[in-house]
Amino acid sequence: MASNSVLQPVRDRGWLHGFGNLVRRENHRWWGTRQWIVQILIWTLIVNGILAMLLISAKDAAAQARNEAVREAISEQQAQQGDAEAAQALQADFPLPVEGVMVFFIFLGMATGVGVAILGQEAIVQEKQTGTAAWVLSKPASRIAFVLSKIAGNALGILVTMVAVQGLVAWVLFRTIGGVSLPVGGFIAGLGLAYLNLLFYLLLAIMLGTLFDSRGPVIGITLLLLFGFQIFTSLAPWLFKVMPWILVMSVGEDTLAYATMLALGQPLPSTLPIIATALWCLVFAGVSLWRFSREEF
Amino acid sequence: MASDGIVIRTSGLTKTYGKVSALKSLDLEVAKNSILGFLGPNGAGKTTTIKLLLGLARPTRGGGQVFGRDIQRESVEIRKRVGYLAQDPRYDEHMSARETLRFTAGFFFSGPKDAIEERIEETLNLVGLEDKADRPIKGFSGGERQRLGIAQAQVNYPDLLILDEPAASLDPQGRRDVLEVMERLRKYTTIFYSTHILDDVQKVSDTVAILNRGELVAQAPIGQLLAGSGGIVYQVRLTGAGESVQARLAAQPWVTSVAAQPASGQTAWDVAVTDSEAAEDQLLRLILSDPAVRVAEFGRRKYELEEVFLQIVEGGRHGQQ
């Protein structure tokens, strides 16, 4: 056909053909529409809204306890050293809000997990159902590039809107309402584990999207794994070691979630759940690529 | 491009879904710069063939080549030179027509940006969407979607345009516009399009392939197909007693039969001949040599495509090679 010699052809090769263009499309979906604002608002309200309420009520409770302590100190030891103790009590730091950190990571892992499951099922199944996948793949785009662009685009969107922004807001809430400066390094590491947990569900939903043609099984299985951990671990307690649940959930009364431990500067008892979750992510990505390369439209 | 000027070549191309044979051993050739109308009733296997050519589905048996490249192993390379319009084109609804074309162009061109934007503008003008270029596609009518489909199919200056029912959802004016676009593009590209609108095929195609129940039942230049394959037949309508001239015609060595039947006060003859040149030279003269007859109509019989199509699909053999 008559062509324009000024236009430079795309130089992508092999299995990456079309990847750059497809990633731009995914990024446009996140950042070129209102999606990023909507996601940030939803998760800020849910995750940090609950955290803020918890911190405010904890602060009120702490203030009340402090006042009682002051009153007791004044009444019981006023003659000798009451004034000094009362003054010390009034100036005492707000206690480190372990519960607040714990609740933050639980909601960051579970509530946003629902959002990730929905995004993940839309990534492949919706495109298969509407026919846009067939349209895109009638262009010079490899199927591997198609799946990788879905993973990359959504992983970035989730990282920014569900993890980074929520982490920043939470840190500020702990600082302003709670009066606590969480160790930055540890808190970021905790957020990293929460992100790994979300990647697990994203890749799981994408993989299921390549295996099924309808949304039901994709979202159903993903949510079952997200919320069914108590059932699974009651049947096989060892599953906690090879699944992502312990990254954001507390197990029993004594064990904190790994993300909480890192945020509080505590050492982790084991790295096995982290390694296992990362391996699951790789397996899900591998199966997605394998299955989608065999998909027929 | 294959060195012999064939753009598409399939050999024994077969596709089955479970026990259903969607396509049975298709042997098809499409020449460079031709417009091939790919006909067939619903479910004949037209869309399946297109999907196999584009690598959207895998053959069960057999194979094919486009531009001399294997449709399974070199699909991405093939798609670099192809423009495709799906039967029911779907796009990202939140995108505008311009964004859709920019996204499509992004698979083919890396820059410069100004040249890409210029190409997008040209394409929008070609299909008459310049006024709606920046509106979201979700508000587009069926005809506008189809125009956008044609625009995105040819934004990359394809060497081969594959159009699946390009005019199916359009009103008469939209159909005419699509056919005009195809006419304009034919000097640059090969067009392979499926349809069941036989009028359109007759207007723009130079070659026709007919598929029925997954089998190729005819492929021929449209002129040959419309002339029929039951031999050369001349139709004559006349008045007056023509028995003697009828006998004289039947005695000619290049005449195989003369079938006469009454038609509204006249007589209609179907004169089957073996030599069209002899017929052109002598047939009318022979008839007029009899002063008892007056000729009202004379001409070589031509079939309407619909007639040919129905005969082939319903089991006849007109046009079959």
Side-chain angles (χ1 to χ4, degrees), chain A residues 1-2 8 10 17 21 25 29 130 135 137 139 143 294 296-297, chain B residues 15 56 58 79-80 90 92 103 108 110-111 152 157-159:
Chain A
M1 190 165 181
Q8 296 155 0
V10 166
H17 214 293
N21 198 37
R25 176 201 192 209
R29 284 181 171 169
T130 60
W135 169 57
L137 292 171
K139 308 300 173 198
R143 295 180 179 214
R294 281 155 181 75
E296 299 206 18
F297 297 93
Chain B
K15 181 66 185 174
L56 294 172
R58 289 193 309 280
R79 282 181 267 144
K80 284 182 185 175
R90 298 298 181 97
D92 287 347
F103 170 59
F108 302 97
S110 59
Q152 61 81 34
Y157 302 101
D159 294 318

PDB file of all heavy atoms in Angstrom, chain A residues 1-2 8 10 17 21 25 29 130 135 137 139 143 294 296-297, chain B residues 15 56 58 79-80 90 92 103 108 110-111 152 157-159:
ATOM      1  N   MET A   1       0.844  -1.190   0.000  1.00  0.00           N
ATOM      2  CA  MET A   1       0.000   0.000   0.000  1.00  0.00           C
ATOM      3  C   MET A   1       0.882   1.244   0.000  1.00  0.00           C
ATOM      4  O   MET A   1       2.004   1.222   0.483  1.00  0.00           O
ATOM      5  CB  MET A   1      -0.875  -0.009   1.258  1.00  0.00           C
ATOM      6  CG  MET A   1      -1.940   1.058   1.226  1.00  0.00           C
ATOM      7  SD  MET A   1      -3.183   0.744   2.463  1.00  0.00           S
ATOM      8  CE  MET A   1      -4.259   2.119   2.142  1.00  0.00           C
ATOM      9  N   ALA A   2       0.344   2.347  -0.522  1.00  0.00           N
ATOM     10  CA  ALA A   2       1.102   3.599  -0.516  1.00  0.00           C
ATOM     11  C   ALA A   2       1.440   3.948   0.921  1.00  0.00           C
ATOM     12  O   ALA A   2       0.592   3.921   1.790  1.00  0.00           O
ATOM     13  CB  ALA A   2       0.262   4.703  -1.122  1.00  0.00           C
ATOM     14  N   GLN A   8       8.452   6.004  11.043  1.00  0.00           N
ATOM     15  CA  GLN A   8       9.440   4.978  11.398  1.00  0.00           C
ATOM     16  C   GLN A   8       8.720   3.757  11.950  1.00  0.00           C
ATOM     17  O   GLN A   8       7.902   3.896  12.865  1.00  0.00           O
ATOM     18  CB  GLN A   8      10.387   5.528  12.470  1.00  0.00           C
ATOM     19  CG  GLN A   8      11.214   6.696  11.987  1.00  0.00           C
ATOM     20  CD  GLN A   8      11.666   7.595  13.120  1.00  0.00           C
ATOM     21  OE1 GLN A   8      11.370   7.364  14.287  1.00  0.00           O
ATOM     22  NE2 GLN A   8      12.388   8.641  12.771  1.00  0.00           N
ATOM     23  N   VAL A  10       7.924   0.391  14.062  1.00  0.00           N
ATOM     24  CA  VAL A  10       8.249  -0.094  15.410  1.00  0.00           C
ATOM     25  C   VAL A  10       9.311  -1.176  15.291  1.00  0.00           C
ATOM     26  O   VAL A  10       9.265  -2.004  14.378  1.00  0.00           O
ATOM     27  CB  VAL A  10       6.966  -0.651  16.074  1.00  0.00           C
ATOM     28  CG1 VAL A  10       7.296  -1.463  17.307  1.00  0.00           C
ATOM     29  CG2 VAL A  10       6.029   0.485  16.426  1.00  0.00           C
ATOM     30  N   HIS A  17       6.831  -8.051  21.099  1.00  0.00           N
ATOM     31  CA  HIS A  17       6.236  -7.190  20.089  1.00  0.00           C
ATOM     32  C   HIS A  17       4.922  -6.573  20.590  1.00  0.00           C
ATOM     33  O   HIS A  17       4.012  -7.279  20.981  1.00  0.00           O
ATOM     34  CB  HIS A  17       5.986  -7.968  18.801  1.00  0.00           C
ATOM     35  CG  HIS A  17       6.171  -7.093  17.599  1.00  0.00           C
ATOM     36  ND1 HIS A  17       5.334  -6.056  17.319  1.00  0.00           N
ATOM     37  CD2 HIS A  17       7.127  -7.076  16.649  1.00  0.00           C
ATOM     38  CE1 HIS A  17       5.758  -5.449  16.223  1.00  0.00           C
ATOM     39  NE2 HIS A  17       6.843  -6.042  15.799  1.00  0.00           N
ATOM     40  N   ASN A  21       3.471  -0.421  23.484  1.00  0.00           N
ATOM     41  CA  ASN A  21       2.175   0.174  23.154  1.00  0.00           C
ATOM     42  C   ASN A  21       1.081  -0.318  24.093  1.00  0.00           C
ATOM     43  O   ASN A  21       0.219   0.450  24.531  1.00  0.00           O
ATOM     44  CB  ASN A  21       1.836  -0.177  21.702  1.00  0.00           C
ATOM     45  CG  ASN A  21       0.760   0.713  21.127  1.00  0.00           C
ATOM     46  OD1 ASN A  21       0.720   1.901  21.419  1.00  0.00           O
ATOM     47  ND2 ASN A  21      -0.114   0.140  20.323  1.00  0.00           N
ATOM     48  N   ARG A  25      -1.253   1.687  26.901  1.00  0.00           N
ATOM     49  CA  ARG A  25      -2.718   1.593  26.974  1.00  0.00           C
ATOM     50  C   ARG A  25      -3.176   1.300  28.409  1.00  0.00           C
ATOM     51  O   ARG A  25      -4.130   1.894  28.908  1.00  0.00           O
ATOM     52  CB  ARG A  25      -3.166   0.483  26.036  1.00  0.00           C
ATOM     53  CG  ARG A  25      -4.647   0.174  26.056  1.00  0.00           C
ATOM     54  CD  ARG A  25      -4.790  -1.218  25.508  1.00  0.00           C
ATOM     55  NE  ARG A  25      -6.136  -1.597  25.204  1.00  0.00           N
ATOM     56  CZ  ARG A  25      -6.534  -2.866  25.271  1.00  0.00           C
ATOM     57  NH1 ARG A  25      -5.704  -3.819  25.609  1.00  0.00           N
ATOM     58  NH2 ARG A  25      -7.770  -3.187  24.981  1.00  0.00           N
ATOM     59  N   ARG A  29      -5.357   3.685  30.979  1.00  0.00           N
ATOM     60  CA  ARG A  29      -6.558   3.283  31.710  1.00  0.00           C
ATOM     61  C   ARG A  29      -6.490   3.707  33.176  1.00  0.00           C
ATOM     62  O   ARG A  29      -7.488   4.061  33.775  1.00  0.00           O
ATOM     63  CB  ARG A  29      -6.732   1.766  31.646  1.00  0.00           C
ATOM     64  CG  ARG A  29      -7.244   1.308  30.321  1.00  0.00           C
ATOM     65  CD  ARG A  29      -7.425  -0.181  30.310  1.00  0.00           C
ATOM     66  NE  ARG A  29      -8.114  -0.585  29.105  1.00  0.00           N
ATOM     67  CZ  ARG A  29      -8.233  -1.833  28.703  1.00  0.00           C
ATOM     68  NH1 ARG A  29      -7.716  -2.810  29.408  1.00  0.00           N
ATOM     69  NH2 ARG A  29      -8.872  -2.121  27.607  1.00  0.00           N
ATOM     70  N   THR A 130     -15.630  -9.022  25.679  1.00  0.00           N
ATOM     71  CA  THR A 130     -16.063  -7.912  24.826  1.00  0.00           C
ATOM     72  C   THR A 130     -15.473  -7.997  23.420  1.00  0.00           C
ATOM     73  O   THR A 130     -15.956  -7.335  22.514  1.00  0.00           O
ATOM     74  CB  THR A 130     -15.656  -6.555  25.420  1.00  0.00           C
ATOM     75  OG1 THR A 130     -14.233  -6.516  25.541  1.00  0.00           O
ATOM     76  CG2 THR A 130     -16.297  -6.312  26.766  1.00  0.00           C
ATOM     77  N   TRP A 135      -9.383  -8.021  18.956  1.00  0.00           N
ATOM     78  CA  TRP A 135      -9.020  -6.852  18.130  1.00  0.00           C
ATOM     79  C   TRP A 135      -7.540  -6.508  18.323  1.00  0.00           C
ATOM     80  O   TRP A 135      -6.803  -6.337  17.338  1.00  0.00           O
ATOM     81  CB  TRP A 135      -9.904  -5.658  18.512  1.00  0.00           C
ATOM     82  CG  TRP A 135      -9.442  -4.369  17.922  1.00  0.00           C
ATOM     83  CD1 TRP A 135      -9.261  -4.089  16.599  1.00  0.00           C
ATOM     84  CD2 TRP A 135      -9.076  -3.189  18.632  1.00  0.00           C
ATOM     85  NE1 TRP A 135      -8.814  -2.798  16.445  1.00  0.00           N
ATOM     86  CE2 TRP A 135      -8.695  -2.219  17.674  1.00  0.00           C
ATOM     87  CE3 TRP A 135      -9.055  -2.830  19.984  1.00  0.00           C
ATOM     88  CZ2 TRP A 135      -8.279  -0.937  18.029  1.00  0.00           C
ATOM     89  CZ3 TRP A 135      -8.653  -1.556  20.331  1.00  0.00           C
ATOM     90  CH2 TRP A 135      -8.274  -0.631  19.363  1.00  0.00           C
ATOM     91  N   LEU A 137      -5.165  -8.385  19.372  1.00  0.00           N
ATOM     92  CA  LEU A 137      -4.273  -9.443  18.901  1.00  0.00           C
ATOM     93  C   LEU A 137      -4.340  -9.632  17.380  1.00  0.00           C
ATOM     94  O   LEU A 137      -3.613 -10.451  16.833  1.00  0.00           O
ATOM     95  CB  LEU A 137      -4.572 -10.749  19.627  1.00  0.00           C
ATOM     96  CG  LEU A 137      -4.204 -10.692  21.113  1.00  0.00           C
ATOM     97  CD1 LEU A 137      -4.725 -11.916  21.854  1.00  0.00           C
ATOM     98  CD2 LEU A 137      -2.705 -10.560  21.312  1.00  0.00           C
ATOM     99  N   LYS A 139      -3.548  -7.139  15.685  1.00  0.00           N
ATOM    100  CA  LYS A 139      -2.444  -6.224  15.370  1.00  0.00           C
ATOM    101  C   LYS A 139      -1.128  -6.950  15.679  1.00  0.00           C
ATOM    102  O   LYS A 139      -1.144  -7.993  16.336  1.00  0.00           O
ATOM    103  CB  LYS A 139      -2.553  -4.945  16.222  1.00  0.00           C
ATOM    104  CG  LYS A 139      -3.906  -4.258  16.152  1.00  0.00           C
ATOM    105  CD  LYS A 139      -4.235  -3.843  14.747  1.00  0.00           C
ATOM    106  CE  LYS A 139      -5.666  -3.318  14.630  1.00  0.00           C
ATOM    107  NZ  LYS A 139      -6.143  -3.308  13.251  1.00  0.00           N
ATOM    108  N   ARG A 143       1.115 -12.414  22.268  1.00  0.00           N
ATOM    109  CA  ARG A 143       0.225 -12.729  23.387  1.00  0.00           C
ATOM    110  C   ARG A 143       0.948 -12.577  24.721  1.00  0.00           C
ATOM    111  O   ARG A 143       0.343 -12.201  25.725  1.00  0.00           O
ATOM    112  CB  ARG A 143      -0.325 -14.140  23.214  1.00  0.00           C
ATOM    113  CG  ARG A 143      -1.195 -14.207  21.986  1.00  0.00           C
ATOM    114  CD  ARG A 143      -1.770 -15.577  21.778  1.00  0.00           C
ATOM    115  NE  ARG A 143      -2.605 -15.553  20.590  1.00  0.00           N
ATOM    116  CZ  ARG A 143      -3.703 -16.261  20.449  1.00  0.00           C
ATOM    117  NH1 ARG A 143      -4.101 -17.056  21.413  1.00  0.00           N
ATOM    118  NH2 ARG A 143      -4.404 -16.189  19.349  1.00  0.00           N
ATOM    119  N   ARG A 294      -2.226 -20.143  24.092  1.00  0.00           N
ATOM    120  CA  ARG A 294      -3.024 -21.185  23.423  1.00  0.00           C
ATOM    121  C   ARG A 294      -4.490 -20.797  23.246  1.00  0.00           C
ATOM    122  O   ARG A 294      -5.298 -21.579  22.755  1.00  0.00           O
ATOM    123  CB  ARG A 294      -2.943 -22.486  24.222  1.00  0.00           C
ATOM    124  CG  ARG A 294      -1.659 -23.223  23.973  1.00  0.00           C
ATOM    125  CD  ARG A 294      -1.265 -24.143  25.120  1.00  0.00           C
ATOM    126  NE  ARG A 294      -0.006 -24.792  24.812  1.00  0.00           N
ATOM    127  CZ  ARG A 294       1.178 -24.193  24.860  1.00  0.00           C
ATOM    128  NH1 ARG A 294       1.263 -22.929  25.218  1.00  0.00           N
ATOM    129  NH2 ARG A 294       2.282 -24.845  24.565  1.00  0.00           N
ATOM    130  N   GLU A 296      -7.881 -19.328  21.883  1.00  0.00           N
ATOM    131  CA  GLU A 296      -8.422 -19.096  20.536  1.00  0.00           C
ATOM    132  C   GLU A 296      -9.573 -18.106  20.627  1.00  0.00           C
ATOM    133  O   GLU A 296     -10.341 -18.122  21.571  1.00  0.00           O
ATOM    134  CB  GLU A 296      -8.894 -20.412  19.922  1.00  0.00           C
ATOM    135  CG  GLU A 296      -7.759 -21.405  19.793  1.00  0.00           C
ATOM    136  CD  GLU A 296      -7.974 -22.417  18.687  1.00  0.00           C
ATOM    137  OE1 GLU A 296      -8.806 -22.183  17.805  1.00  0.00           O
ATOM    138  OE2 GLU A 296      -7.288 -23.447  18.717  1.00  0.00           O
ATOM    139  N   PHE A 297      -9.673 -17.272  19.642  1.00  0.00           N
ATOM    140  CA  PHE A 297     -10.689 -16.207  19.664  1.00  0.00           C
ATOM    141  C   PHE A 297     -11.719 -16.412  18.559  1.00  0.00           C
ATOM    142  O   PHE A 297     -11.468 -17.065  17.589  1.00  0.00           O
ATOM    143  CB  PHE A 297     -10.011 -14.850  19.504  1.00  0.00           C
ATOM    144  CG  PHE A 297      -9.080 -14.550  20.653  1.00  0.00           C
ATOM    145  CD1 PHE A 297      -7.737 -14.861  20.581  1.00  0.00           C
ATOM    146  CD2 PHE A 297      -9.568 -13.984  21.817  1.00  0.00           C
ATOM    147  CE1 PHE A 297      -6.891 -14.608  21.639  1.00  0.00           C
ATOM    148  CE2 PHE A 297      -8.729 -13.723  22.880  1.00  0.00           C
ATOM    149  CZ  PHE A 297      -7.387 -14.038  22.792  1.00  0.00           C
TER     150      PHE A 297
ATOM    151  N   LYS B  15     -10.426 -26.696  10.301  1.00  0.00           N
ATOM    152  CA  LYS B  15     -10.644 -26.343  11.701  1.00  0.00           C
ATOM    153  C   LYS B  15     -11.872 -27.075  12.214  1.00  0.00           C
ATOM    154  O   LYS B  15     -12.958 -26.990  11.624  1.00  0.00           O
ATOM    155  CB  LYS B  15     -10.857 -24.827  11.833  1.00  0.00           C
ATOM    156  CG  LYS B  15     -11.057 -24.362  13.263  1.00  0.00           C
ATOM    157  CD  LYS B  15      -9.818 -24.555  14.097  1.00  0.00           C
ATOM    158  CE  LYS B  15     -10.035 -24.206  15.543  1.00  0.00           C
ATOM    159  NZ  LYS B  15      -8.852 -24.526  16.365  1.00  0.00           N
ATOM    160  N   LEU B  56      -5.573 -15.852  15.111  1.00  0.00           N
ATOM    161  CA  LEU B  56      -6.449 -15.776  16.281  1.00  0.00           C
ATOM    162  C   LEU B  56      -6.987 -17.155  16.657  1.00  0.00           C
ATOM    163  O   LEU B  56      -7.518 -17.351  17.741  1.00  0.00           O
ATOM    164  CB  LEU B  56      -7.621 -14.822  16.015  1.00  0.00           C
ATOM    165  CG  LEU B  56      -7.230 -13.352  15.837  1.00  0.00           C
ATOM    166  CD1 LEU B  56      -8.427 -12.522  15.394  1.00  0.00           C
ATOM    167  CD2 LEU B  56      -6.640 -12.787  17.117  1.00  0.00           C
ATOM    168  N   ARG B  58      -6.067 -21.615  15.829  1.00  0.00           N
ATOM    169  CA  ARG B  58      -5.058 -22.522  15.271  1.00  0.00           C
ATOM    170  C   ARG B  58      -5.734 -23.565  14.382  1.00  0.00           C
ATOM    171  O   ARG B  58      -6.778 -24.106  14.747  1.00  0.00           O
ATOM    172  CB  ARG B  58      -4.314 -23.247  16.397  1.00  0.00           C
ATOM    173  CG  ARG B  58      -3.380 -22.369  17.185  1.00  0.00           C
ATOM    174  CD  ARG B  58      -2.462 -23.209  18.061  1.00  0.00           C
ATOM    175  NE  ARG B  58      -3.195 -24.176  18.863  1.00  0.00           N
ATOM    176  CZ  ARG B  58      -3.827 -23.873  19.994  1.00  0.00           C
ATOM    177  NH1 ARG B  58      -3.829 -22.660  20.450  1.00  0.00           N
ATOM    178  NH2 ARG B  58      -4.462 -24.804  20.670  1.00  0.00           N
ATOM    179  N   ARG B  79       0.890  -9.904  10.547  1.00  0.00           N
ATOM    180  CA  ARG B  79      -0.035  -8.854  11.013  1.00  0.00           C
ATOM    181  C   ARG B  79       0.564  -7.446  10.902  1.00  0.00           C
ATOM    182  O   ARG B  79      -0.169  -6.471  10.940  1.00  0.00           O
ATOM    183  CB  ARG B  79      -0.458  -9.154  12.456  1.00  0.00           C
ATOM    184  CG  ARG B  79      -1.512 -10.252  12.524  1.00  0.00           C
ATOM    185  CD  ARG B  79      -1.941 -10.537  13.926  1.00  0.00           C
ATOM    186  NE  ARG B  79      -1.168 -11.617  14.504  1.00  0.00           N
ATOM    187  CZ  ARG B  79      -0.786 -11.673  15.770  1.00  0.00           C
ATOM    188  NH1 ARG B  79      -1.063 -10.694  16.596  1.00  0.00           N
ATOM    189  NH2 ARG B  79      -0.097 -12.698  16.210  1.00  0.00           N
ATOM    190  N   LYS B  80       1.873  -7.366  10.744  1.00  0.00           N
ATOM    191  CA  LYS B  80       2.481  -6.046  10.519  1.00  0.00           C
ATOM    192  C   LYS B  80       2.021  -5.447   9.201  1.00  0.00           C
ATOM    193  O   LYS B  80       2.062  -4.248   9.014  1.00  0.00           O
ATOM    194  CB  LYS B  80       4.009  -6.177  10.481  1.00  0.00           C
ATOM    195  CG  LYS B  80       4.650  -6.355  11.826  1.00  0.00           C
ATOM    196  CD  LYS B  80       6.161  -6.430  11.639  1.00  0.00           C
ATOM    197  CE  LYS B  80       6.853  -6.734  12.938  1.00  0.00           C
ATOM    198  NZ  LYS B  80       8.303  -6.915  12.748  1.00  0.00           N
ATOM    199  N   ARG B  90     -15.021  -4.173  18.283  1.00  0.00           N
ATOM    200  CA  ARG B  90     -15.104  -3.679  19.670  1.00  0.00           C
ATOM    201  C   ARG B  90     -13.818  -2.949  20.008  1.00  0.00           C
ATOM    202  O   ARG B  90     -12.733  -3.407  19.664  1.00  0.00           O
ATOM    203  CB  ARG B  90     -15.282  -4.854  20.633  1.00  0.00           C
ATOM    204  CG  ARG B  90     -16.550  -5.637  20.425  1.00  0.00           C
ATOM    205  CD  ARG B  90     -17.754  -4.762  20.659  1.00  0.00           C
ATOM    206  NE  ARG B  90     -18.978  -5.501  20.484  1.00  0.00           N
ATOM    207  CZ  ARG B  90     -19.682  -6.043  21.475  1.00  0.00           C
ATOM    208  NH1 ARG B  90     -19.252  -5.914  22.713  1.00  0.00           N
ATOM    209  NH2 ARG B  90     -20.784  -6.706  21.231  1.00  0.00           N
ATOM    210  N   ASP B  92     -11.967  -0.015  23.082  1.00  0.00           N
ATOM    211  CA  ASP B  92     -12.091   0.509  24.441  1.00  0.00           C
ATOM    212  C   ASP B  92     -13.085   1.659  24.398  1.00  0.00           C
ATOM    213  O   ASP B  92     -12.818   2.684  23.764  1.00  0.00           O
ATOM    214  CB  ASP B  92     -10.731   1.012  24.934  1.00  0.00           C
ATOM    215  CG  ASP B  92      -9.800  -0.143  25.243  1.00  0.00           C
ATOM    216  OD1 ASP B  92     -10.285  -1.281  25.316  1.00  0.00           O
ATOM    217  OD2 ASP B  92      -8.596   0.092  25.400  1.00  0.00           O
ATOM    218  N   PHE B 103      -3.612   4.530  19.307  1.00  0.00           N
ATOM    219  CA  PHE B 103      -3.217   3.242  19.901  1.00  0.00           C
ATOM    220  C   PHE B 103      -2.904   2.227  18.801  1.00  0.00           C
ATOM    221  O   PHE B 103      -1.879   1.532  18.850  1.00  0.00           O
ATOM    222  CB  PHE B 103      -4.349   2.742  20.797  1.00  0.00           C
ATOM    223  CG  PHE B 103      -4.180   1.335  21.291  1.00  0.00           C
ATOM    224  CD1 PHE B 103      -3.070   0.977  22.048  1.00  0.00           C
ATOM    225  CD2 PHE B 103      -5.119   0.359  21.002  1.00  0.00           C
ATOM    226  CE1 PHE B 103      -2.914  -0.324  22.510  1.00  0.00           C
ATOM    227  CE2 PHE B 103      -4.971  -0.937  21.453  1.00  0.00           C
ATOM    228  CZ  PHE B 103      -3.867  -1.275  22.209  1.00  0.00           C
ATOM    229  N   PHE B 108       2.507  -0.019  14.906  1.00  0.00           N
ATOM    230  CA  PHE B 108       3.217  -0.022  13.630  1.00  0.00           C
ATOM    231  C   PHE B 108       4.316   1.030  13.539  1.00  0.00           C
ATOM    232  O   PHE B 108       5.338   0.782  12.929  1.00  0.00           O
ATOM    233  CB  PHE B 108       2.213   0.201  12.490  1.00  0.00           C
ATOM    234  CG  PHE B 108       1.121  -0.818  12.438  1.00  0.00           C
ATOM    235  CD1 PHE B 108      -0.117  -0.573  13.019  1.00  0.00           C
ATOM    236  CD2 PHE B 108       1.334  -2.048  11.842  1.00  0.00           C
ATOM    237  CE1 PHE B 108      -1.128  -1.521  12.993  1.00  0.00           C
ATOM    238  CE2 PHE B 108       0.322  -3.009  11.801  1.00  0.00           C
ATOM    239  CZ  PHE B 108      -0.904  -2.739  12.380  1.00  0.00           C
ATOM    240  N   SER B 110       6.749   4.127  15.359  1.00  0.00           N
ATOM    241  CA  SER B 110       7.306   4.646  16.610  1.00  0.00           C
ATOM    242  C   SER B 110       7.473   6.171  16.552  1.00  0.00           C
ATOM    243  O   SER B 110       7.709   6.807  17.562  1.00  0.00           O
ATOM    244  CB  SER B 110       8.651   3.984  16.897  1.00  0.00           C
ATOM    245  OG  SER B 110       9.553   4.237  15.847  1.00  0.00           O
ATOM    246  N   GLY B 111       7.385   6.751  15.396  1.00  0.00           N
ATOM    247  CA  GLY B 111       7.514   8.202  15.286  1.00  0.00           C
ATOM    248  C   GLY B 111       7.727   8.593  13.842  1.00  0.00           C
ATOM    249  O   GLY B 111       7.675   7.728  12.954  1.00  0.00           O
ATOM    250  N   GLN B 152      -9.183   2.145  11.444  1.00  0.00           N
ATOM    251  CA  GLN B 152      -8.110   1.485  12.188  1.00  0.00           C
ATOM    252  C   GLN B 152      -7.499   0.343  11.375  1.00  0.00           C
ATOM    253  O   GLN B 152      -6.344  -0.009  11.580  1.00  0.00           O
ATOM    254  CB  GLN B 152      -8.577   1.021  13.582  1.00  0.00           C
ATOM    255  CG  GLN B 152      -9.714   0.012  13.623  1.00  0.00           C
ATOM    256  CD  GLN B 152      -9.262  -1.410  13.382  1.00  0.00           C
ATOM    257  OE1 GLN B 152      -8.159  -1.786  13.771  1.00  0.00           O
ATOM    258  NE2 GLN B 152     -10.086  -2.198  12.716  1.00  0.00           N
ATOM    259  N   TYR B 157      -1.224   1.545   6.416  1.00  0.00           N
ATOM    260  CA  TYR B 157      -0.987   1.319   4.973  1.00  0.00           C
ATOM    261  C   TYR B 157      -0.825  -0.185   4.700  1.00  0.00           C
ATOM    262  O   TYR B 157       0.215  -0.627   4.219  1.00  0.00           O
ATOM    263  CB  TYR B 157       0.282   2.029   4.504  1.00  0.00           C
ATOM    264  CG  TYR B 157       0.327   3.516   4.727  1.00  0.00           C
ATOM    265  CD1 TYR B 157       1.048   4.035   5.786  1.00  0.00           C
ATOM    266  CD2 TYR B 157      -0.309   4.394   3.866  1.00  0.00           C
ATOM    267  CE1 TYR B 157       1.119   5.408   5.996  1.00  0.00           C
ATOM    268  CE2 TYR B 157      -0.245   5.766   4.069  1.00  0.00           C
ATOM    269  CZ  TYR B 157       0.479   6.260   5.129  1.00  0.00           C
ATOM    270  OH  TYR B 157       0.558   7.621   5.329  1.00  0.00           O
ATOM    271  N   PRO B 158      -1.841  -0.990   5.007  1.00  0.00           N
ATOM    272  CA  PRO B 158      -1.654  -2.450   4.888  1.00  0.00           C
ATOM    273  C   PRO B 158      -1.517  -2.910   3.441  1.00  0.00           C
ATOM    274  O   PRO B 158      -2.111  -2.312   2.536  1.00  0.00           O
ATOM    275  CB  PRO B 158      -2.935  -3.015   5.515  1.00  0.00           C
ATOM    276  CG  PRO B 158      -3.950  -1.946   5.311  1.00  0.00           C
ATOM    277  CD  PRO B 158      -3.209  -0.639   5.424  1.00  0.00           C
ATOM    278  N   ASP B 159      -0.757  -3.968   3.265  1.00  0.00           N
ATOM    279  CA  ASP B 159      -0.665  -4.600   1.947  1.00  0.00           C
ATOM    280  C   ASP B 159      -1.851  -5.529   1.726  1.00  0.00           C
ATOM    281  O   ASP B 159      -2.122  -5.945   0.598  1.00  0.00           O
ATOM    282  CB  ASP B 159       0.635  -5.402   1.837  1.00  0.00           C
ATOM    283  CG  ASP B 159       1.841  -4.487   1.869  1.00  0.00           C
ATOM    284  OD1 ASP B 159       1.779  -3.426   1.214  1.00  0.00           O
ATOM    285  OD2 ASP B 159       2.828  -4.802   2.562  1.00  0.00           O
TER     286      ASP B 159
END
